[in-house]
Amino acid sequence: QVQLVESGGGVVQAGGSLRLSCAASGRTFSRYAMGWFRQAPGKEREFVAAIRWSGGSTNYADSVKGRFTISRDNAKSTVYLQMNSLKPEDTAVYYCAAGSYDMDYRVRMYDYWGQGTQVTVSS
């Protein structure tokens, strides 16, 4: 089992920045690819970004490329999502997830999920 706890969400004005963190405990964190997903009210959960177990490669949704950066610190068992130039359409609950498949964009390929953290971007 892997337990994931997100933090860092909040309310920010458009154009602002936030940094989300996801702390992992349980099984060896460094064995898993990590992903960030988000879900807005009335919408399906969607892929945001993912990072390889080693941290050497990343994958991003087109909607966040150039604005968001995913990173990880295996020594701290933590994955981060730096979000810059935020837009109102980025408003959602953000979830981190751990999976055995390399940087996959599909929700069903992740085995463990956090409880989510709310990000609200005001215009």
Side-chain angles (χ1 to χ4, degrees), residues 1-66:
Q1 285 281 5
V2 176
Q3 292 78 41
L4 302 171
V5 179
E6 302 96 336
S7 61
V11 180
V12 63
Q13 287 190 333
S17 298
L18 281 175
R19 188 195 195 201
L20 305 183
S21 299
C22 174
S25 61
R27 288 191 174 182
T28 307
F29 172 77
S30 61
R31 294 176 56 186
Y32 292 91
M34 297 297 296
W36 284 99
F37 291 77
R38 66 188 182 187
Q39 188 166 17
K43 294 188 176 181
E44 292 187 353
R45 193 167 297 189
E46 66 174 7
F47 172 75
V48 174
I51 188 166
R52 183 167 288 169
W53 66 270
S54 64
S57 293
T58 56
N59 185 22
Y60 294 93
D62 287 344
S63 59
V64 306
K65 273 181 185 176

Side-chain angles (χ1 to χ4, degrees), residues 8-12 18 20 92 117-121:
V11 180
V12 63
L18 281 175
L20 305 183
T117 186
Q118 177 71 47
V119 171
T120 302
V121 184

